[in-house]
């Protein structure tokens, strides 16, 4: 049998490539010329243009296709999410992006865990509802909301400095005002 005249290309490989987001051409090469794979009759896989989300999704699906890769991915996602959430929780009482990091860690967990995906959706819905409500109010109400937020942050910073580092800013400020 002549190697240049093979049967149809393997359909299983073509279906797997299509599932992973590749455009597959199953046309045979003419005159025994070889395709990009170097073998005649093998599907020519042309990568379609995709966004970074599709590429990440495809990469994760390729990792999940292997049992060892699936377990490794779960462990990596669990550890990375736990680190980001832990740092976020530590930063909540301090000035900084504490809640933002907690939500980012939840987003990392949502890649692999359904419960985290649901919790992230719940959080997203409530943050959007709060934002819509706050922006639909008049300017004086928004100023009051901002002032209440600043007072809350100031109290949290004061309490965290007082009880974690032993620095009482209010007592020092009152002492400074009394002596000067």
């Amino acid at each position: 049998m002549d190697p240049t005249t093979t049967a149809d290309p393997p359909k299983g490989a073509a279906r797997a490539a299509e599932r992973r987001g590749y455009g597959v051409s199953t046309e045979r090469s003419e005159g025994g010329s070889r395709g990009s794979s170097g073998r005649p009759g093998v599907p020519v896989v042309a990568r379609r243009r995709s966004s970074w989300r599709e590429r990440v999704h495809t990469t994760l699906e390729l990792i999940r296709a292997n049992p060892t890769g699936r377990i490794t991915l779960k462990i990596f996602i669990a550890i990375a999410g736990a680190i980001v959430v832990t740092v976020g929780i530590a930063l909540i009482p301090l000035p900084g992006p504490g809640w933002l990091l907690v939500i980012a860690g939840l987003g990392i967990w949502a890649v692999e865990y359904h419960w985290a995906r649901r919790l992230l959706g719940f959080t997203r819905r409530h943050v959007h509802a709060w934002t819509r409500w706050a922006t639909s109010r008049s300017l004086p109400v928004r100023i009051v909301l901002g002032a209440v937020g600043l007072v809350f942050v100031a109290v949290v910073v004061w309490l965290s400095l007082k009880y974690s580092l032993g620095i009482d800013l209010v007592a020092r400020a009152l002492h400074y005002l009394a002596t000067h």
Side-chain angles (χ1 to χ4, degrees), residues 26-129:
T26 56
E27 297 175 6
R28 294 181 51 158
S29 56
E30 294 296 322
S33 66
R34 298 179 184 264
S36 65
S37 64
R39 293 178 293 183
V42 174
V44 178
V45 179
R47 183 166 181 103
R48 69 176 177 164
R49 290 186 184 231
S50 60
S51 68
W52 67 271
R53 284 181 163 214
E54 290 174 352
R55 283 182 275 164
V56 168
H57 180 72
T58 303
T59 303
L60 290 175
E61 288 302 315
L62 287 171
I63 292 170
R64 288 182 185 120
N66 182 347
T68 305
R70 184 174 32 250
I71 292 170
T72 305
L73 181 66
K74 268 194 181 294
I75 291 170
F76 176 76
I77 294 293
I79 291 171
I83 290 171
V84 173
V85 167
T86 303
V87 169
I89 288 173
L91 289 178
I92 286 173
L94 300 174
W99 283 111
L100 188 64
L101 285 177
V102 170
I103 292 172
L106 200 57
I108 292 171
W109 278 336
V111 168
E112 196 62 31
Y113 300 105
H114 186 66
W115 62 266
R117 199 171 308 124
R118 284 193 330 253
L119 186 58
L120 189 62
F122 173 83
T123 304
R124 188 177 295 144
R125 281 191 309 275
H126 281 76
V127 166
H128 285 306

Side-chain angles (χ1 to χ4, degrees), residues 132-143:
R132 272 194 312 272
W133 181 84
T135 55
S136 69
R137 303 296 146 207
S138 65
L139 184 61
V141 172
R142 285 188 279 170
I143 290 173

Side-chain angles (χ1 to χ4, degrees), residues 115-180:
W115 62 266
R117 199 171 308 124
R118 284 193 330 253
L119 186 58
L120 189 62
F122 173 83
T123 304
R124 188 177 295 144
R125 281 191 309 275
H126 281 76
V127 166
H128 285 306
W130 166 256
T131 305
R132 272 194 312 272
W133 181 84
T135 55
S136 69
R137 303 296 146 207
S138 65
L139 184 61
V141 172
R142 285 188 279 170
I143 290 173
V144 168
L145 287 172
V148 168
L150 286 175
V151 168
F152 176 76
V153 169
V155 167
V156 168
V157 168
W158 171 64
L159 289 174
S160 63
L161 287 175
K162 182 177 179 180
Y163 291 110
S164 64
L165 299 177
I167 302 171
D168 191 0
L169 292 177
V170 173
R172 286 188 179 188
L174 291 176
H175 176 70
Y176 178 79
L177 291 174
T179 59
H180 288 85

